[in-house]
Amino acid sequence: MATALSLAPTSADPTFADLLAIRPSLSMHAQDGLLMEDVPLARIAAEHGTPTWVYSANTLRRRFRALKAALEAAGLRASVHYAAKANDNQAVLRVLRSEGAGADIVSAGELRATMAAGIPAGATVFSGVGKAPEEIRFALEAGIFQLNAESAEEIEMISAIAAGMGVEAPVSLRVNPDVDARTHAKITTGRAENKFGIAFEDAPALYARMAALPGIRPIGIATHIGSQITDGMSAYRAAYARLAEMIGDLRGRGLPVERVDCGGGLGIPYRDEPAPTPEALAGAIKSTLGGLGIPVMLEPGRWLVGPAGVLLASVVLQKQGSARRFLVLDAAMNDLMRPAMYDAWHGILPVSPRAHVAPLSPADIVGPVCESGDTFAKGRLMPAMAPQDLVAFLDAGAYGSVMSSTYNARPLAAEVLVDGARAALVRRRQTHEELLAHQRIPEWLD
């Protein structure tokens, strides 16, 4: 199985120019330095401090439209439901809602967030292996478009809750096709050993059971085989072909199948690796499911928002150790968890134009958290940098801010949305007072 790209260097690490060349939202200005769209990142740092997440509205729009165009060109009746777990900032959700996106959520909290941003529950899919009874009830009261059931036990729970409410729950059965997506072990979801979905061989009988239960309207089959899939379309085709076979079997038994949920997982190039296109995914869907004559659904997350974001950070100091040079930043693993959690590789660009033409030498890029795992890159070629110099972590729009914590009592970073020449704060930086605001000391400790 393929693993995430290592944070350690290789001889093929892309240059600063290489990284910029394939990221159209970013450019280097001779005086203002690194720009996102038309806004200098140095200006954002001056106004809002660092670390700060910065998102490109036009990148979100461009990528959503490219995906929709690919599905339409393939002749598919398709709806796109953005996976809010990738980035649930209200401004990001509002941009995607304005493009016509529905939502894919995995908690009642995400349902509240997407509804607050204007995405109705009637355009939202509720996935996840551990929906609590109160979450199911809330989703049904809100008029959820689809519940993706992931176990026989959950189906019985949904039936009891819906029947007690006097409503019919629209339920799709999430099937685990036992297909290897060849992605990182921690983000694969379609193998038999994963916690997600119903075993393929058990699904037909369970679907028939759903049709017989009160309070449930079986509406289709769903799958999701993993995240950050870059190894071509073979895994998608294998999974969707199995779904097509199953849907034919269900229809042969007289069971209704209204739609099929294809999941998400389309990967992005964090470095310079090849990545599949929306056109390739649309082709895989058409070749396997297109003959069924029913609508399909997609649940992209990272593909839409990953390239739309950067994490802006400042150099605290440059430390020369006995064997290594360290660039110590004010961003840390509590801000961007992916390198520590997955050994993930992120491009890192200096913001200053002078730094892009300065001599380079290897440096370990680290944060201030008291963990050796607080390392973003090892041996990365970087210029000499001074305190307050700025760097930008690329492709940080997905699984960045949403995975942040306050470890080491570090407040959550600010978030800014850029739209052309405009920039607006869309989440203010958490204060130290707010870190303590919800804590209480028992009276007996006074």
Side-chain angles (χ1 to χ4, degrees):
M1 177 182 295
T3 58
L5 287 167
S6 172
L7 52 79
T10 76
S11 59
D13 273 355
T15 66
F16 295 157
D18 293 335
L19 291 170
L20 279 173
I22 60 172
R23 290 164 175 85
S25 65
L26 298 172
S27 62
M28 180 57 64
H29 189 276
Q31 292 182 322
D32 294 334
L34 192 61
L35 307 182
M36 175 169 276
E37 301 193 21
D38 298 322
V39 178
L41 291 176
R43 190 177 85 197
I44 291 175
E47 292 178 2
H48 303 292
T50 57
T52 291
W53 305 93
V54 188
Y55 308 124
S56 162
N58 280 314
T59 300
L60 297 171
R61 296 184 185 110
R62 183 177 64 251
R63 295 181 74 83
F64 186 87
R65 292 171 188 176
L67 179 57
K68 286 288 288 184
L71 296 168
E72 291 170 3
L76 296 168
R77 285 189 293 155
S79 57
V80 177
H81 303 262
Y82 165 63
K85 62 181 176 289
N87 186 322
D88 62 7
N89 182 278
Q90 286 286 292
V92 169
L93 293 172
R94 184 64 64 91
V95 171
L96 291 171
R97 183 217 70 179
S98 70
E99 292 296 313
D104 166 58
I105 54 98
V106 293
S107 71
E110 286 187 352
L111 179 54
R112 292 179 186 277
T114 53
M115 289 171 64
I119 302 176
T124 300
V125 180
F126 196 162
S127 304
V129 300
K131 307 176 195 71
E134 59 270 22
E135 292 184 304
I136 295 170
R137 189 171 294 107
F138 174 65
L140 292 174
E141 289 171 347
I144 198 77
F145 178 65
Q146 178 173 305
L147 292 167
N148 283 351
E150 305 217 14
S151 67
E153 293 81 1
E154 183 184 12
I155 289 167
E156 298 290 338
M157 184 191 305
I158 294 171
S159 172
I161 293 170
M165 295 172 63
V167 301
E168 270 195 332
V171 180
S172 185
L173 191 65
R174 178 170 173 177
V175 175
N176 187 325
D178 195 20
V179 168
D180 185 0
R182 299 187 181 277
T183 187
H184 193 284
K186 292 182 179 179
I187 52 176
T188 185
T189 59
R191 299 296 305 275
E193 64 265 27
N194 297 137
K195 68 180 180 179
F196 301 96
I198 307 294
F200 188 85
E201 60 272 17
D202 297 336
L206 193 52
Y207 198 88
R209 170 67 176 158
M210 282 203 311
L213 284 172
I216 286 186
R217 178 168 66 92
I219 56 173
I221 297 295
T223 195
H224 183 87
I225 60 174
S227 183
Q228 185 53 11
I229 299 170
T230 57
D231 192 27
M233 288 291 110
S234 58
Y236 282 118
R237 286 196 182 92
Y240 298 158
R242 299 204 80 190
L243 292 194
E245 175 189 346
M246 176 178 291
I247 290 169
D249 177 52
L250 294 173
R251 285 173 158 178
R253 301 184 190 197
L255 295 168
V257 181
E258 300 177 19
R259 52 185 179 254
V260 56
D261 186 342
C262 297
L266 195 64
I268 62 173
Y270 279 97
R271 194 167 147 197
D272 55 1
E273 68 276 21
T277 64
E279 291 78 10
L281 179 59
I285 296 171
K286 182 178 181 179
S287 67
T288 52
L289 300 168
L292 296 175
I294 57 177
V296 299
M297 304 159 56
L298 272 80
E299 299 167 359
R302 184 196 315 265
W303 193 87
L304 288 174
V305 298
V310 301
L311 174 60
L312 192 57
S314 297
V315 173
V316 176
L317 55 87
Q318 179 173 269
K319 173 183 175 181
Q320 184 59 57
S322 59
R324 312 179 77 88
R325 177 169 71 109
F326 297 92
L327 289 179
V328 185
L329 307 181
D330 62 355
M333 63 184 289
N334 72 290
D335 300 301
L336 181 59
M337 176 62 71
R338 296 189 70 256
M341 189 170 185
Y342 304 121
D343 282 341
W345 196 98
H346 281 267
I348 304 171
L349 289 180
V351 171
S352 165
R354 294 184 301 276
H356 281 244
V357 295
L360 306 178
S361 63
D364 287 7
I365 303 174
V366 302
V369 157
C370 193
E371 300 274 353
S372 296
D374 186 22
T375 299
F376 296 115
K378 294 182 178 179
R380 190 72 62 89
L381 292 176
M382 296 292 287
M385 303 194 79
Q388 302 306 312
D389 283 350
L390 299 170
V391 298
F393 289 85
L394 307 184
D395 306 307
Y399 305 105
S401 174
V402 286
M403 295 179 73
S404 298
S405 76
T406 58
Y407 185 45
N408 281 194
R410 291 171 49 83
L412 297 175
E415 297 180 56
V416 170
L417 182 73
V418 168
D419 194 350
R422 299 175 295 183
L425 185 70
V426 294
R427 189 181 74 177
R428 63 176 175 78
R429 189 176 310 282
Q430 189 179 36
T431 67
H432 289 282
E433 291 74 19
E434 287 167 339
L435 278 175
L436 301 176
H438 299 292
Q439 297 187 31
R440 298 291 182 269
I441 298 174
E443 293 180 1
W444 44 266
L445 287 181
D446 288 344

